Amino acid sequence: MQFGIFTVSDITEDPTTGVTPSEGERIRNTITMAKHAEEVGLDVFALGEHHNPPFWSSSPTTTLAYIAAQTERLILSTATTLITTNDPVKIAEDFAMLQHVSDGRVDLMLGRGNTGPVYPWFGKDIRQGLPLAIENYNLLHRLWREDVVDWEGKFRTPLQGFTSTPRPLDGVPPFVWHGSIRTPEIAEQAAYYGDGFFANNIFWPKEHYQRLISLYRQRFAHYGHGTPEQAIVGLGGQVFMRTNSQDAVREFRPYFDNAPVYGHGPSLEDFSEMTPLTVGSPQQVIDRYAGMREHYGDYQRQLFLMDHAGLPLKTVLEQLDILGGEVVPVLRKELAEGRPADVPDAPTHAGRVRAVYGDEAPRQSVPNANRGDNLAGDSPYRDTDSRLLSAPKQGSSFGTAATRTEA
């Protein structure tokens, strides 16, 4: 399994001091937090995407590239890339580039976001949110797997003879998680392509996410990617820890009570009972999250939200010390015990390259000389590899699907 943290990039007043950090300070603090996540032994850092105050992360790939240059093994991801309002062509280019500069330490989570006005800001209609997500991903999926794409859809101008550059690192696209907190169609989409499904279960009771994950697992098997147990599942979570649980509750309560996301609603105790939010000792966190597979089955990735609600950097770094030093090592061991051999490991670039090429050398894209319009010959590249192409599936609204060998 992979363990890590994610941030939604909120800039929130610290209710205990009345201090609100500047955008620049919050950005620097987040980079420090990501680097410290690697230092304490975590596997993943994921960054959200927003285009409005009080959030700062409007360009996740820029930030993740900067973090990649200062880390060695940390997997860098998004904790939502807006598939509805971003151009799939630009997503294809940006994340392939991020693959190269990070030496493959990148994947992404696609979602529709939770800010309604972002649609008209980018010239889209929120009433078309689901069709946009479906059509845009179909194009993105093809751009990473076909050197030359002819394409026509409803929501963007057609493409003729288009090549997205650079080509994915080693000819293997970044792994894609489809994130959702409420939409069964997104679980269906993830299943259709054999991609991962990330249920960010931080707001609602477990029964809601059990239904979504169960649907995804069933449809994953239906589309021929493996058994339901072999589907690739990720979960979100929230914790705040101190050695004594009473100290954790006392310290975290003002942040919870005043947080814009969930403050002034249910009490901390009620919210903790209804959701995976766990405020207490490290052992309480271990007990709570070791039990997650009883609800959702064996899964591949667990991310924690640690820096929200105005918590100061010093406190966040202390939380990461506890998470990486006391909690995750025990969770790794407990969640590995009894794990069936046929349950896949968490996806990595190296593992996915081996799945495609075995012991052979992976593709290294070498372009031909042309006029820049891809029409100078049969292919703009000297090398081709048919193993990266899969026959299209017909009769589905989700378009062309990839084979399971790329998952």
Side-chain angles (χ1 to χ4, degrees):
M1 277 189 64
Q2 293 168 348
F3 294 88
I5 58 173
F6 72 99
T7 178
V8 296
S9 80
D10 64 306
I11 301 174
T12 304
E13 177 184 297
D14 184 333
T16 67
T17 64
V19 173
T20 301
S22 68
E23 289 177 328
E25 180 182 359
R26 185 73 166 94
I27 292 169
R28 292 189 297 272
N29 288 350
T30 303
I31 293 168
T32 298
M33 182 179 71
K35 291 160 61 176
H36 197 61
E38 177 173 272
E39 292 167 358
V40 301
L42 301 181
D43 306 305
V44 183
F45 173 78
L47 177 63
E49 178 184 349
H50 288 277
H51 297 273
N52 59 292
F55 306 96
W56 62 262
S57 180
S58 60
S59 183
T61 53
T62 304
T63 311
L64 294 177
Y66 186 82
I67 295 170
Q70 301 184 64
T71 54
E72 296 181 356
R73 62 170 190 81
L74 194 66
I75 296 173
L76 304 167
S77 184
T78 51
T80 298
T81 293
L82 300 178
I83 188 61
T84 48
T85 53
N86 282 304
D87 185 352
V89 171
K90 200 67 175 75
I91 296 176
E93 294 173 339
D94 285 351
F95 280 90
M97 180 64 76
L98 185 55
Q99 268 194 313
H100 282 271
V101 302
S102 68
D103 196 25
R105 294 184 290 123
V106 61
D107 54 40
L108 70 160
M109 187 191 307
L110 297 177
R112 293 182 295 151
N114 57 12
T115 305
V118 74
Y119 285 83
W121 292 340
F122 286 85
K124 306 299 181 183
D125 184 344
I126 193 173
R127 295 170 296 181
Q128 299 296 321
L130 273 173
L132 276 164
I134 292 167
E135 180 178 293
N136 283 355
Y137 183 59
N138 174 244
L139 174 56
L140 175 62
H141 191 270
R142 289 186 57 189
L143 289 169
W144 276 334
R145 290 163 175 82
E146 301 174 30
D147 284 349
V148 181
V149 172
D150 294 324
W151 182 89
E152 185 173 354
K154 178 180 178 181
F155 298 109
R156 81 174 313 279
T157 54
L159 297 174
Q160 183 176 9
F162 179 76
T163 296
S164 175
T165 58
R167 302 306 298 149
L169 177 66
D170 299 321
V172 177
F175 186 79
V176 171
W177 301 86
H178 299 258
S180 178
I181 62 172
R182 60 183 178 274
T183 309
E185 289 86 350
I186 300 303
E188 176 80 12
Q189 185 182 37
Y192 179 81
Y193 287 99
D195 295 335
F197 180 68
F198 191 91
N200 194 9
N201 59 329
I202 61 174
F203 288 122
W204 293 352
K206 65 180 183 299
E207 289 78 11
H208 171 77
Y209 298 100
Q210 285 175 324
R211 289 190 290 269
L212 283 175
I213 292 172
S214 176
L215 170 64
Y216 161 65
R217 290 187 183 278
Q218 293 171 18
R219 301 301 287 173
F220 181 94
H222 169 79
Y223 287 118
H225 301 299
T227 66
E229 293 75 22
Q230 291 173 321
I232 308 298
V233 174
L235 299 177
Q238 289 175 283
V239 299
F240 187 88
M241 299 166 287
R242 291 300 183 200
T243 302
N244 298 313
S245 59
Q246 297 92 335
D247 293 337
V249 171
R250 181 171 56 253
E251 184 176 348
F252 187 68
R253 188 181 299 279
Y255 294 96
F256 178 89
D257 288 346
N258 292 279
V261 174
Y262 43 58
H264 312 292
S267 69
L268 174 59
E269 288 73 16
D270 288 344
F271 195 85
S272 298
E273 181 178 352
M274 293 185 293
T275 77
L277 173 64
T278 305
V279 181
S281 67
Q283 187 60 52
Q284 286 176 297
V285 171
I286 291 169
D287 293 343
R288 189 89 181 271
Y289 282 85
M292 288 297 171
R293 68 175 173 184
E294 297 177 9
H295 307 312
Y296 306 112
D298 286 289
Y299 61 110
Q300 282 71 28
R301 178 175 286 185
Q302 176 69 63
L303 300 183
F304 296 95
L305 178 61
M306 307 292 290
D307 70 322
H308 59 307
L311 288 166
L313 177 63
K314 179 178 181 295
T315 300
V316 174
L317 298 181
E318 291 169 351
Q319 292 295 304
L320 295 184
D321 287 338
I322 301 171
L323 185 67
E326 300 182 44
V327 173
V328 165
V330 179
L331 286 177
R332 288 192 196 280
K333 180 179 179 180
E334 293 201 7
L335 290 173
E337 291 179 357
R339 190 179 181 93
D342 61 345
V343 172
D345 291 338
T348 64
H349 181 73
R352 300 179 71 231
V353 169
R354 285 194 301 271
V356 175
Y357 296 97
D359 294 330
E360 298 179 22
R363 179 186 188 185
Q364 301 301 315
S365 303
V366 180
N368 285 311
N370 61 37
R371 299 191 306 270
D373 58 6
N374 295 341
L375 299 178
D378 293 336
S379 171
Y381 286 89
R382 301 177 193 179
D383 61 288
T384 58
D385 195 326
S386 61
R387 288 170 296 183
L388 301 179
L389 303 177
S390 56
K393 289 186 177 182
Q394 304 297 328
S396 170
S397 61
F398 288 100
T400 304
T403 61
R404 177 62 187 149
T405 58
E406 295 183 4

